[in-house]
Amino acid sequence: MAHHHPHDADAPDWNALGAELVFEGELAEPIVAGTARWVADLVPEIATILDIGSGPGVAAGLLAAAFPGARVVAVDGAPALLDLARQRAARLGLSERLTTRVATLPDDLPSLPVADLIWASGVVHHLPDPQQGLQQLGRQLRPGGVVAIREGGLPLRFLPEGAEPGLLARIEVACDELLAEGHHPGGVVSPGAAWPDTLRAAGLSYRGSRSFLFERSAPLSGPERDWLRRRLERLRDVAQDRLAPGDLEAIARLVDPHAPDGIAHRDDVFILGAGTIHVAAVG
Ligand SMILES: C[S@@+](CC[C@H](N)C(=O)[O-])C[C@H]1O[C@@H](n2cnc3c(N)ncnc32)[C@H](O)[C@@H]1O
């Protein structure tokens, strides 16, 4: 059944984004590892894990490895991504414990098993009503279980200091303004409040937020450069109406596959970011 929400027109075609989401999932490995250590201290026994909006299941695989006694269900609305998740699980020898489930959020949540850990990375901000989505995630928790959402962090950095001063900050302001004005850049919905408050408003008990760095150092590999170029193109597509001609020219140079000072060729570009995880429990 099709669901029509105001941001549908801007929502990405998730099924087509497999390779990109695998790259981003692998980039986020330190975030998942750090969260797994944190959550292991908070929850005495983790038997069932839901990876909500798992995409191609990179985090699901890492969580299955971190909690060898747990079964993990990778849940997503995009069947092509779950195919990738199953192939990945088979390659890692995890098929017994890592399964997939096609589901539309938040409507299909009640049909999922209850869990001791619910991981939702980069997903809640795509739900039509983030607070209500969190409330429903809370209902899928076993007593003592936690939900860990990845939302925000630090804006991605990829140029050495001194190169294109202020460009990334101006792109960020443009995206923030669009969100504040009720647009849905890249299908993102503003929760209208800080995530800890939104978790509390959803009836959950907020346990804390931690951030974890991820990095690919210079010089980047070909696939890393390709990902970064696409990422910058996407930011430009979202923000271009609000950027000055000089900034648009700088971005055009950076994404040009033939420009010697573009991301494709220069040896000083890198990938550096941080992801923040907010954790909450039931009750
Ligand atoms: C930004 S990706 C995040 C993927 C992965 N969790 C990660 O952190 O790399 C968002 C994922 O949520 C899924 N998704 C978004 N909205 C959804 C919805 N309403 N129902 C089911 N899945 C949804 C998409 O198919 C996509 O795989």
Side-chain angles (χ1 to χ4, degrees), residues 14 21 25 51-55 76-78 81 103-105 121-123 126-127:
W14 296 114
L21 291 172
D51 181 353
I52 297 292
S54 64
D76 205 281
L81 300 180
T104 300
L105 309 168
S121 163
V123 173
H126 287 295
L127 299 182

Side-chain angles (χ1 to χ4, degrees), residues 173-185 188 190 241-242:
V173 167
C175 292
D176 277 358
E177 285 174 355
L178 284 166
L179 255 190
E181 290 168 20
H183 298 278
H184 299 285
V188 171
S190 167
D241 292 348
R242 296 173 184 234

Side-chain angles (χ1 to χ4, degrees), residues 55-195:
V58 180
L62 293 167
L63 290 169
F67 297 99
R71 66 176 179 130
V72 182
V73 187
V75 180
D76 205 281
L81 300 180
L82 293 181
D83 289 346
L84 295 177
R86 278 194 305 280
Q87 288 163 19
R88 191 175 184 89
R91 265 202 316 279
L92 297 171
L94 293 168
S95 300
E96 296 270 291
R97 294 192 293 118
L98 199 171
T99 55
T100 63
R101 190 75 172 265
V102 182
T104 300
L105 309 168
D107 304 21
D108 295 340
L109 278 173
S111 71
L112 299 172
V114 289
D116 307 291
L117 167 60
I118 296 179
W119 166 262
S121 163
V123 173
V124 179
H125 64 229
H126 287 295
L127 299 182
D129 180 341
Q131 182 184 315
Q132 186 218 13
L134 288 172
Q135 210 168 344
Q136 282 175 261
L137 286 179
R139 290 197 199 109
Q140 293 307 116
L141 282 180
R142 270 201 201 113
V146 296
V147 52
I149 62 168
R150 176 181 172 189
E151 294 293 342
L154 293 174
L156 194 75
R157 289 290 176 261
F158 57 88
L159 291 169
E161 209 170 274
E164 311 296 349
L167 174 65
L168 292 177
R170 290 189 291 274
I171 295 175
E172 200 192 341
V173 167
C175 292
D176 277 358
E177 285 174 355
L178 284 166
L179 255 190
E181 290 168 20
H183 298 278
H184 299 285
V188 171
V189 175
S190 167
W195 287 104

Side-chain angles (χ1 to χ4, degrees), residues 110 144 148 156 206 254:
L156 194 75
Y206 172 60
L254 284 166

